[in-house]
Amino acid sequence: MITRGWGILLLVCLSHLADSTHAQQTVASENEVIRARVDGARASDLSGAGQGNGLPWANGRFVYEFSPEVQLDPRKMEAFEQACRRLLENTALKCVNRSQAVAMGDRDYVYVVAGNGDASYVGRQGGKQLLSILIWNNPNIISHEIKHALGWGHEQQHPNRDEYVDILFENIPLEKQENFYVHDNGNEGDYDFDSVMHYYPTDFSRPARKSIRAKRKYQSYQSVMGQRDHLSKIDLLEIQEFYGDSSVEWCGISRKPRGSSNLAGFSTGCPWVCRLQSNPSVGAWVPGENCDTSSGQM
């Protein structure tokens, strides 16, 4: 079961190539420039420290827009859209191009660029937020970045990770250690060695050392960590559990909780909306006109 809630916004990036070559990325700002620098043979990210909170996506829509250079390449657009549809299949959340979403009143979206790194914020930031893709021919790398934008951090930062792995901080340079700090995003399923969100065992480590070691009883999973070959069952299940399955009804900014079909005498439809707090399944039901759909608050 997934503990509901919402956690810390991370600015994250991670791409695993077959040869374990990675890059460090920084989202620069409004000019859509993604600066990257190679850090040996490992990826780095700027996760966690001192940053604010992201939000779940609202209205049942994960909204994206392609930058002009991406629009010039139909293969890139199709690769992103296929990865998005695969993540959200059988969930209450749908992938929607901003050209359609604007007409429905959505103001928040990811702006997808062909950058020189793979990078994404964690969760909905409000307004325009960058998502950069460098490796377009691996759908699982694209899925990794989209899942960050949906609200998930890296697996080895899972709040229960110390039950499953040891983080070998003595093998990690001090300036890289923040990449292994625990971040409870409140949407995590069971710890998943097979997750597309997990780091490789030597990411950020000093030469010929490990940064992550599976605990003794989980040693058989040591070689599994860091795969970018597939989405695991938990990768998909935790999205469905957090955002709801395809039967969930969306009302205004939030989803209608199960068992609430007769709220305030209304048996059908969505005349009321749920105040979106940190958890999209909780909050007071109020008349729709009293809800600020820009922030999801009363």
Side-chain angles (χ1 to χ4, degrees), residues 153-168:
H154 290 128
E155 193 69 13
Q156 77 287 340
Q157 295 176 295
H158 191 290
N160 296 334
R161 65 102 185 275
D162 291 334
E163 299 176 25
Y164 300 90
V165 300
D166 293 314
I167 304 301
L168 306 176

Side-chain angles (χ1 to χ4, degrees), residues 59-73:
N59 305 314
R61 295 185 287 273
F62 174 72
V63 183
Y64 61 90
E65 180 178 72
F66 295 123
S67 63
E69 76 275 10
V70 175
Q71 293 182 43
L72 291 174
D73 192 337

Side-chain angles (χ1 to χ4, degrees), residues 4-247:
R4 302 291 183 181
W6 207 257
I8 297 174
L9 160 67
L10 314 176
L11 175 58
V12 292
C13 51
L14 180 64
S15 297
H16 277 293
L17 307 182
D19 62 0
S20 298
T21 300
H22 312 301
Q24 177 177 2
Q25 300 91 14
T26 302
V27 175
S29 63
E30 196 61 26
N31 61 3
E32 288 82 55
V33 172
I34 305 293
R35 297 195 179 108
R37 69 180 176 83
V38 175
D39 189 347
R42 325 195 134 62
S44 180
D45 72 9
L46 302 175
S47 61
Q51 300 189 34
N53 294 329
L55 288 170
W57 288 84
N59 305 314
R61 295 185 287 273
F62 174 72
V63 183
Y64 61 90
E65 180 178 72
F66 295 123
S67 63
E69 76 275 10
V70 175
Q71 293 182 43
L72 291 174
D73 192 337
R75 293 172 298 180
K76 288 185 172 68
M77 292 190 292
E78 180 59 21
F80 183 91
E81 290 172 337
Q82 282 188 356
C84 189
R85 288 193 298 266
R86 187 170 57 142
L87 279 173
L88 299 183
E89 186 178 13
N90 300 320
T91 75
L93 202 61
K94 304 302 176 187
C95 307
V96 180
N97 192 289
R98 186 169 177 248
S99 61
Q100 300 171 303
V102 168
M104 294 182 277
D106 290 287
R107 289 181 279 181
D108 304 335
Y109 64 101
V110 295
Y111 189 68
V112 184
V113 304
N116 55 359
D118 297 284
S120 174
Y121 287 94
V122 169
R124 178 169 62 93
Q125 302 303 299
K128 177 182 181 180
Q129 66 187 77
L130 293 175
L131 189 154
S132 170
I133 300 296
L134 170 64
I135 309 301
W136 292 91
N137 61 358
N138 186 334
N140 300 296
I141 289 176
I142 299 174
S143 294
H144 178 107
E145 301 310 332
I146 295 174
K147 193 167 181 184
H148 278 318
L150 290 170
W152 275 264
H154 290 128
E155 193 69 13
Q156 77 287 340
Q157 295 176 295
H158 191 290
N160 296 334
R161 65 102 185 275
D162 291 334
E163 299 176 25
Y164 300 90
V165 300
D166 293 314
I167 304 301
L168 306 176
F169 284 103
E170 66 273 20
N171 295 339
I172 305 169
L174 183 62
E175 67 274 14
K176 305 296 185 185
Q177 291 185 6
E178 66 178 5
N179 297 290
F180 298 89
Y181 296 161
V182 167
H183 293 292
D184 186 352
N185 293 294
N187 53 13
E188 295 90 352
D190 294 335
Y191 193 84
D192 184 13
F193 289 97
D194 193 37
S195 174
V196 76
M197 307 305 291
H198 208 299
Y199 274 7
Y200 192 72
T202 58
D203 278 339
F204 306 113
S205 65
R206 294 186 171 93
R209 305 283 183 89
K210 287 186 174 67
S211 53
I212 310 173
R213 181 178 61 209
K215 288 190 176 293
R216 185 180 300 275
K217 64 188 295 186
Y218 300 110
Q219 278 297 303
S220 61
Y221 294 101
Q222 184 71 31
S223 62
V224 173
M225 293 184 285
Q227 65 81 16
R228 293 297 178 267
D229 300 321
H230 60 275
L231 298 174
S232 74
K233 290 181 180 179
I234 295 177
D235 278 329
L236 297 171
L237 180 62
E238 60 189 4
I239 297 175
Q240 186 180 74
E241 287 199 8
F242 188 78
Y243 282 107
D245 62 32
S246 56
S247 68

